[in-house]
Amino acid sequence: MLRRLVLFVVVTALLVAGAVWLADRPGDVTIHWQGWRVDTTVPILLIALVLLVAAMEIALRLVRGVVGAPRRWMARRRERRTREGYRALSDGLAAIAAGDTKAARKLARRADKMLGDDSLTGLLTARAAELAGDAGEAERRFRTMLDRPETAFVGLKGLMTQALERGDGEAALDFARRAWAARPGAEGLAATLFDLQAKAGQWAEAELTLAEAKRHGSLNGAERRHREALVLNERAALADAAGDVAEGARLALQAHKADPIFVPAAARAATLLGRMGKSRKAAAVLEGTFRYAPHAALADAWTALAPAEEPLARVKRMERLMRANPQAPESHVALAEAALAAKLWGQARTHLEAAAKTHPSVRIYTLLARIEREERGDEAAAQAWQAKAATAPADPTWVCAACGARTESWSVGCPTCGAIDRLVWHSPGTGLLPVPVQSSSAMAGGSSSS
Ligand SMILES: [Zn+2]
């Protein structure tokens, strides 16, 4: 402010000084030009020159203003459209979060029109199309997102989800793998990629995925270790099938250590160790798992450790397994079966009745009927139990959590729908899942028999 004032004073002083200087030195000027003649004085000429320069400057500005107007108008319009486009983009994403299909589609179209950049509006338009059930449009939009590295990951994930929904595992695996490469260790992707690789039987790749997930910390500990157990258990099965029992036992034992309550790994490890003559170690594995997951497959593996033993010796040995989890229905049933074979009727009946109290099921009443027949030949009493069996809840079995199919034995993929690691041990009688087969649920819930 002060500087401008000083400048003003100085310029005024100079002008006044100049005017005075010119007034003190009068002189005439005569100009001849193209038959014209102008007589004037020097100060008038100077003033005329200054006015001429000022007039030219004003004219130039006017011309510039007229010529530049359309461009400025365009720039303002572009700015307004961009602002409106981003507002539509933001409102559209909010509409999607709120599940408002109609508004989302409308705003997506608006954002598309205003911004004119598919790679910017791809996510909104794709999600809006998805919400409206327009899979083709959604896919096209997700694909446009692959062009920019910033949006490629989301595009690939969207395409992967679409492939999963239409049951195209091969395409889903391809997209999942590319998404994982674009963003290794991405939250929530490791489990899906692992399952897709496992489903395709690519266990080596699945193992690599787990290693990367571990490095990036993108799968929680229990979840990752359970999947490691799945891989090791499959590799153990392959080694066993190839005739390498020692390698099979080693891998199965590793699987058991990765997830100590994963029943299939414990059973396999014990069976293979038993075949190598390492019964003591096998027994320790079974007892350890039975404590938290009292499962029939473990009792079967326990029995198989001494296939030729006397019935009475088997009862004694079964009592030892039962001590690991005395209240579990599987304990009662396994011991009752051993007692039945040894003709220890009273003991068999006691255990079956205890199991029937908490987990009544077909096999328990069928065994009670067998006792009546074999001990006393009491057909009437046997028929009474048989009648109860007819209306009793079904025996516990493996049930696929994805498709609901029931299956006798465990396998990593559901025999019906192929879903990976979705078989859960289900007891229809109580509606409970008496045996946690994954560490995450077991560690949270503790012993299921308590
Ligand atoms: Zn299934």
Side-chain angles (χ1 to χ4, degrees):
M1 198 62 207
L2 189 71
R3 252 185 35 204
R4 288 180 69 170
L5 189 67
V6 170
L7 196 69
F8 176 74
V9 169
V10 169
V11 169
T12 311
L14 282 174
L15 282 173
V16 169
V20 169
W21 188 80
L22 278 171
D24 287 349
R25 290 165 184 78
D28 297 321
V29 178
T30 303
I31 297 168
H32 294 273
W33 184 62
Q34 300 274 313
W36 290 74
R37 180 197 154 117
V38 178
D39 291 314
T40 184
T41 60
V42 171
I44 296 293
L45 179 69
L46 283 174
I47 287 166
L49 276 175
V50 168
L51 286 177
L52 185 68
V53 169
M56 279 171 73
E57 169 71 19
I58 287 166
L60 205 66
R61 281 194 184 196
L62 273 173
V63 169
R64 250 197 234 136
V66 170
V67 170
R71 210 177 51 221
R72 274 199 308 282
W73 181 79
M74 288 289 281
R76 268 204 302 278
R77 183 168 175 269
R78 203 161 47 235
E79 194 183 311
R80 199 184 63 237
R81 285 174 72 94
T82 305
R83 207 167 44 233
E84 276 178 32
Y86 278 117
R87 186 177 301 142
L89 190 61
S90 160
D91 291 353
L93 289 171
I96 283 179
D100 187 345
T101 313
K102 222 170 121 193
R105 284 217 104 169
K106 199 174 135 209
L107 287 161
R109 268 196 299 274
R110 186 164 177 77
D112 231 10
K113 189 173 147 210
M114 291 295 165
L115 293 173
D117 185 347
D118 281 2
S119 64
L120 280 178
T121 55
L123 181 61
L124 171 61
T125 46
R127 287 260 181 272
E130 256 186 341
L131 208 58
D134 188 347
E137 169 72 356
E139 182 179 348
R140 204 173 63 72
R141 295 302 187 150
F142 280 132
R143 283 192 188 278
T144 64
M145 295 177 74
L146 306 188
D147 299 340
R148 285 177 69 221
E150 291 84 356
T151 53
F153 175 76
V154 178
L156 286 166
K157 252 189 104 171
L159 289 168
M160 177 193 84
T161 309
Q162 281 197 313
L164 282 173
E165 271 164 15
R166 61 173 189 267
D168 186 348
E170 206 176 312
L173 176 56
D174 179 51
F175 291 130
R177 208 185 272 131
R178 283 163 66 190
W180 186 253
R183 200 169 291 177
E187 202 77 31
L189 186 59
T192 311
L193 177 60
F194 176 90
D195 287 355
L196 287 167
Q197 286 167 327
K199 205 169 176 176
Q202 300 175 353
W203 291 103
E205 288 87 341
E207 206 170 10
L208 272 176
T209 302
L210 290 182
E212 276 179 44
K214 184 178 183 180
R215 202 145 42 83
H216 291 97
S218 47
L219 260 184
N220 80 50
E223 233 184 302
R224 199 193 65 245
R225 281 194 299 280
H226 174 67
R227 285 189 163 81
E228 280 167 4
L230 287 179
V231 173
L232 290 160
N233 186 51
E234 287 309 303
R235 286 179 56 197
L238 289 174
D240 181 27
D244 193 343
V245 177
E247 177 67 359
R250 189 186 69 80
L251 289 165
L253 207 52
Q254 267 191 352
H256 169 66
K257 283 188 179 137
D259 186 352
I261 62 150
F262 179 41
V263 167
R268 190 187 302 281
T271 304
L272 293 174
L273 285 167
R275 266 160 56 192
M276 290 171 71
K278 297 184 176 175
S279 298
R280 194 192 287 261
K281 185 147 183 75
V285 167
L286 292 173
E287 280 174 311
T289 302
F290 198 79
R291 185 162 293 127
Y292 299 103
H295 195 281
L298 301 175
D300 290 346
W302 182 267
T303 303
L305 287 180
E309 75 191 328
E310 293 295 318
L312 275 173
R314 175 154 298 167
V315 172
K316 283 271 160 268
R317 216 162 54 81
M318 200 50 94
E319 279 171 349
R320 213 182 100 202
L321 178 65
M322 191 188 180
R323 276 199 290 277
N325 203 331
Q327 306 302 323
E330 282 310 326
S331 292
H332 290 301
V333 173
L335 196 51
E337 280 176 332
L340 238 162
K343 300 194 191 302
L344 298 174
W345 312 113
Q347 194 177 357
R349 190 179 280 115
T350 307
H351 283 294
L352 288 173
E353 281 167 358
K357 218 173 274 170
T358 55
H359 292 79
S361 74
V362 176
R363 63 181 175 158
I364 291 170
Y365 293 125
T366 308
L367 284 171
L368 281 163
R370 223 182 101 191
I371 293 176
E372 298 301 344
R373 280 198 193 96
E374 292 185 15
E375 187 191 4
R376 294 194 281 257
D378 187 343
E379 191 53 33
Q383 288 295 334
W385 286 124
Q386 217 70 77
K388 282 197 117 172
T391 56
D395 291 325
T397 184
W398 294 104
V399 175
C400 175
C403 73
R406 301 156 65 84
T407 172
E408 279 286 303
S409 55
W410 185 89
S411 57
V412 68
C414 166
T416 305
C417 74
I420 290 296
D421 193 30
R422 298 303 300 276
L423 296 186
V424 288
W425 186 246
H426 180 63
S427 173
T430 54
L432 296 173
L433 305 176
V435 176
V437 288
Q438 295 181 11
S439 49
S440 45
S441 51
M443 292 311 165
S447 168
S448 64
S449 61
S450 59

mmCIF file of all heavy atoms in Angstrom, residues 393-418:
data_model
loop_
_atom_site.group_PDB
_atom_site.id
_atom_site.type_symbol
_atom_site.label_atom_id
_atom_site.label_comp_id
_atom_site.label_asym_id
_atom_site.label_seq_id
_atom_site.Cartn_x
_atom_site.Cartn_y
_atom_site.Cartn_z
ATOM 1 N N PRO A 393 -33.456 -88.734 15.397
ATOM 2 C CA PRO A 393 -32.703 -87.881 14.467
ATOM 3 C C PRO A 393 -31.625 -88.698 13.759
ATOM 4 O O PRO A 393 -31.139 -89.684 14.311
ATOM 5 C CB PRO A 393 -32.060 -86.836 15.379
ATOM 6 C CG PRO A 393 -32.807 -86.910 16.660
ATOM 7 C CD PRO A 393 -33.338 -88.291 16.787
ATOM 8 N N ALA A 394 -31.303 -88.281 12.547
ATOM 9 C CA ALA A 394 -30.274 -88.994 11.779
ATOM 10 C C ALA A 394 -28.931 -88.933 12.503
ATOM 11 O O ALA A 394 -28.702 -88.066 13.350
ATOM 12 C CB ALA A 394 -30.152 -88.377 10.401
ATOM 13 N N ASP A 395 -28.069 -89.867 12.166
ATOM 14 C CA ASP A 395 -26.740 -89.885 12.775
ATOM 15 C C ASP A 395 -25.932 -88.687 12.287
ATOM 16 O O ASP A 395 -26.168 -88.183 11.185
ATOM 17 C CB ASP A 395 -26.012 -91.180 12.371
ATOM 18 C CG ASP A 395 -26.670 -92.390 13.020
ATOM 19 O OD1 ASP A 395 -27.139 -92.243 14.167
ATOM 20 O OD2 ASP A 395 -26.729 -93.450 12.378
ATOM 21 N N PRO A 396 -24.980 -88.255 13.117
ATOM 22 C CA PRO A 396 -24.133 -87.146 12.654
ATOM 23 C C PRO A 396 -23.379 -87.525 11.392
ATOM 24 O O PRO A 396 -23.021 -88.683 11.203
ATOM 25 C CB PRO A 396 -23.178 -86.904 13.825
ATOM 26 C CG PRO A 396 -23.306 -88.079 14.710
ATOM 27 C CD PRO A 396 -24.634 -88.705 14.448
ATOM 28 N N THR A 397 -23.191 -86.564 10.566
ATOM 29 C CA THR A 397 -22.506 -86.840 9.298
ATOM 30 C C THR A 397 -21.859 -85.552 8.782
ATOM 31 O O THR A 397 -22.080 -84.480 9.331
ATOM 32 C CB THR A 397 -23.517 -87.398 8.272
ATOM 33 O OG1 THR A 397 -22.818 -87.751 7.096
ATOM 34 C CG2 THR A 397 -24.582 -86.357 7.921
ATOM 35 N N TRP A 398 -21.076 -85.695 7.743
ATOM 36 C CA TRP A 398 -20.493 -84.496 7.123
ATOM 37 C C TRP A 398 -21.545 -83.841 6.246
ATOM 38 O O TRP A 398 -22.207 -84.523 5.449
ATOM 39 C CB TRP A 398 -19.275 -84.860 6.265
ATOM 40 C CG TRP A 398 -18.125 -85.393 7.048
ATOM 41 C CD1 TRP A 398 -17.721 -86.697 7.136
ATOM 42 C CD2 TRP A 398 -17.209 -84.653 7.846
ATOM 43 N NE1 TRP A 398 -16.626 -86.815 7.950
ATOM 44 C CE2 TRP A 398 -16.280 -85.564 8.402
ATOM 45 C CE3 TRP A 398 -17.077 -83.295 8.171
ATOM 46 C CZ2 TRP A 398 -15.245 -85.162 9.249
ATOM 47 C CZ3 TRP A 398 -16.041 -82.905 9.010
ATOM 48 C CH2 TRP A 398 -15.145 -83.828 9.536
ATOM 49 N N VAL A 399 -21.713 -82.538 6.415
ATOM 50 C CA VAL A 399 -22.678 -81.801 5.602
ATOM 51 C C VAL A 399 -21.956 -80.623 4.960
ATOM 52 O O VAL A 399 -21.149 -79.950 5.612
ATOM 53 C CB VAL A 399 -23.846 -81.285 6.478
ATOM 54 C CG1 VAL A 399 -24.791 -80.415 5.655
ATOM 55 C CG2 VAL A 399 -24.606 -82.448 7.087
ATOM 56 N N CYS A 400 -22.231 -80.408 3.688
ATOM 57 C CA CYS A 400 -21.597 -79.280 2.984
ATOM 58 C C CYS A 400 -22.302 -77.982 3.369
ATOM 59 O O CYS A 400 -23.512 -77.849 3.196
ATOM 60 C CB CYS A 400 -21.664 -79.479 1.472
ATOM 61 S SG CYS A 400 -21.032 -78.058 0.566
ATOM 62 N N ALA A 401 -21.517 -77.058 3.896
ATOM 63 C CA ALA A 401 -22.102 -75.767 4.298
ATOM 64 C C ALA A 401 -22.479 -74.931 3.081
ATOM 65 O O ALA A 401 -23.247 -73.982 3.197
ATOM 66 C CB ALA A 401 -21.104 -75.006 5.169
ATOM 67 N N ALA A 402 -21.958 -75.287 1.911
ATOM 68 C CA ALA A 402 -22.276 -74.509 0.704
ATOM 69 C C ALA A 402 -23.551 -75.011 0.044
ATOM 70 O O ALA A 402 -24.407 -74.213 -0.330
ATOM 71 C CB ALA A 402 -21.104 -74.571 -0.278
ATOM 72 N N CYS A 403 -23.692 -76.347 -0.107
ATOM 73 C CA CYS A 403 -24.846 -76.852 -0.868
ATOM 74 C C CYS A 403 -25.784 -77.712 -0.018
ATOM 75 O O CYS A 403 -26.867 -78.066 -0.472
ATOM 76 C CB CYS A 403 -24.388 -77.631 -2.091
ATOM 77 S SG CYS A 403 -23.691 -79.250 -1.713
ATOM 78 N N GLY A 404 -25.354 -78.056 1.202
ATOM 79 C CA GLY A 404 -26.235 -78.816 2.083
ATOM 80 C C GLY A 404 -26.199 -80.322 1.858
ATOM 81 O O GLY A 404 -26.897 -81.064 2.548
ATOM 82 N N ALA A 405 -25.387 -80.784 0.914
ATOM 83 C CA ALA A 405 -25.323 -82.227 0.651
ATOM 84 C C ALA A 405 -24.670 -82.959 1.815
ATOM 85 O O ALA A 405 -23.766 -82.430 2.456
ATOM 86 C CB ALA A 405 -24.548 -82.478 -0.638
ATOM 87 N N ARG A 406 -25.152 -84.182 2.092
ATOM 88 C CA ARG A 406 -24.572 -84.994 3.164
ATOM 89 C C ARG A 406 -23.628 -86.008 2.551
ATOM 90 O O ARG A 406 -23.853 -86.504 1.459
ATOM 91 C CB ARG A 406 -25.684 -85.721 3.924
ATOM 92 C CG ARG A 406 -26.710 -84.786 4.549
ATOM 93 C CD ARG A 406 -28.025 -85.500 4.766
ATOM 94 N NE ARG A 406 -27.898 -86.573 5.747
ATOM 95 C CZ ARG A 406 -27.965 -86.372 7.071
ATOM 96 N NH1 ARG A 406 -28.192 -85.177 7.546
ATOM 97 N NH2 ARG A 406 -27.817 -87.375 7.909
ATOM 98 N N THR A 407 -22.556 -86.272 3.275
ATOM 99 C CA THR A 407 -21.590 -87.236 2.745
ATOM 100 C C THR A 407 -20.958 -88.021 3.890
ATOM 101 O O THR A 407 -20.807 -87.520 4.993
ATOM 102 C CB THR A 407 -20.529 -86.541 1.860
ATOM 103 O OG1 THR A 407 -19.526 -87.477 1.520
ATOM 104 C CG2 THR A 407 -19.887 -85.383 2.588
ATOM 105 N N GLU A 408 -20.633 -89.292 3.595
ATOM 106 C CA GLU A 408 -20.132 -90.222 4.613
ATOM 107 C C GLU A 408 -18.750 -89.829 5.126
ATOM 108 O O GLU A 408 -18.509 -89.782 6.316
ATOM 109 C CB GLU A 408 -20.042 -91.623 4.009
ATOM 110 C CG GLU A 408 -21.360 -92.364 3.971
ATOM 111 C CD GLU A 408 -21.776 -92.850 5.360
ATOM 112 O OE1 GLU A 408 -20.987 -93.592 5.973
ATOM 113 O OE2 GLU A 408 -22.868 -92.459 5.811
ATOM 114 N N SER A 409 -17.858 -89.579 4.166
ATOM 115 C CA SER A 409 -16.475 -89.352 4.576
ATOM 116 C C SER A 409 -16.014 -87.967 4.156
ATOM 117 O O SER A 409 -16.546 -87.383 3.211
ATOM 118 C CB SER A 409 -15.569 -90.417 3.966
ATOM 119 O OG SER A 409 -15.742 -90.423 2.581
ATOM 120 N N TRP A 410 -15.014 -87.491 4.847
ATOM 121 C CA TRP A 410 -14.514 -86.146 4.576
ATOM 122 C C TRP A 410 -13.661 -86.137 3.315
ATOM 123 O O TRP A 410 -12.905 -87.066 3.044
ATOM 124 C CB TRP A 410 -13.679 -85.667 5.760
ATOM 125 C CG TRP A 410 -13.213 -84.248 5.618
ATOM 126 C CD1 TRP A 410 -13.874 -83.133 6.017
ATOM 127 C CD2 TRP A 410 -11.990 -83.793 5.024
ATOM 128 N NE1 TRP A 410 -13.153 -82.011 5.708
ATOM 129 C CE2 TRP A 410 -11.985 -82.387 5.095
ATOM 130 C CE3 TRP A 410 -10.906 -84.438 4.422
ATOM 131 C CZ2 TRP A 410 -10.947 -81.615 4.613
ATOM 132 C CZ3 TRP A 410 -9.868 -83.662 3.930
ATOM 133 C CH2 TRP A 410 -9.887 -82.267 4.029
ATOM 134 N N SER A 411 -13.787 -85.067 2.549
ATOM 135 C CA SER A 411 -12.840 -84.806 1.460
ATOM 136 C C SER A 411 -12.711 -83.288 1.374
ATOM 137 O O SER A 411 -13.613 -82.563 1.785
ATOM 138 C CB SER A 411 -13.349 -85.385 0.142
ATOM 139 O OG SER A 411 -14.621 -84.856 -0.149
ATOM 140 N N VAL A 412 -11.592 -82.826 0.838
ATOM 141 C CA VAL A 412 -11.343 -81.379 0.870
ATOM 142 C C VAL A 412 -12.369 -80.628 0.019
ATOM 143 O O VAL A 412 -12.807 -79.533 0.369
ATOM 144 C CB VAL A 412 -9.885 -81.052 0.469
ATOM 145 C CG1 VAL A 412 -9.636 -81.367 -1.000
ATOM 146 C CG2 VAL A 412 -9.562 -79.595 0.765
ATOM 147 N N GLY A 413 -12.772 -81.229 -1.107
ATOM 148 C CA GLY A 413 -13.812 -80.613 -1.943
ATOM 149 C C GLY A 413 -15.128 -81.348 -1.731
ATOM 150 O O GLY A 413 -15.144 -82.566 -1.589
ATOM 151 N N CYS A 414 -16.226 -80.592 -1.693
ATOM 152 C CA CYS A 414 -17.534 -81.239 -1.542
ATOM 153 C C CYS A 414 -17.783 -82.135 -2.754
ATOM 154 O O CYS A 414 -17.653 -81.680 -3.893
ATOM 155 C CB CYS A 414 -18.625 -80.180 -1.431
ATOM 156 S SG CYS A 414 -20.288 -80.835 -1.644
ATOM 157 N N PRO A 415 -18.148 -83.420 -2.529
ATOM 158 C CA PRO A 415 -18.369 -84.321 -3.664
ATOM 159 C C PRO A 415 -19.528 -83.860 -4.549
ATOM 160 O O PRO A 415 -19.591 -84.230 -5.721
ATOM 161 C CB PRO A 415 -18.710 -85.666 -3.011
ATOM 162 C CG PRO A 415 -18.348 -85.526 -1.577
ATOM 163 C CD PRO A 415 -18.367 -84.071 -1.235
ATOM 164 N N THR A 416 -20.429 -83.061 -3.989
ATOM 165 C CA THR A 416 -21.593 -82.628 -4.771
ATOM 166 C C THR A 416 -21.330 -81.330 -5.526
ATOM 167 O O THR A 416 -21.547 -81.247 -6.725
ATOM 168 C CB THR A 416 -22.808 -82.448 -3.847
ATOM 169 O OG1 THR A 416 -23.012 -83.668 -3.137
ATOM 170 C CG2 THR A 416 -24.049 -82.121 -4.648
ATOM 171 N N CYS A 417 -20.860 -80.298 -4.805
ATOM 172 C CA CYS A 417 -20.726 -78.990 -5.463
ATOM 173 C C CYS A 417 -19.276 -78.566 -5.659
ATOM 174 O O CYS A 417 -19.004 -77.577 -6.327
ATOM 175 C CB CYS A 417 -21.479 -77.918 -4.670
ATOM 176 S SG CYS A 417 -20.670 -77.419 -3.148
ATOM 177 N N GLY A 418 -18.344 -79.315 -5.073
ATOM 178 C CA GLY A 418 -16.935 -79.005 -5.294
ATOM 179 C C GLY A 418 -16.380 -77.893 -4.420
ATOM 180 O O GLY A 418 -15.200 -77.559 -4.510
#
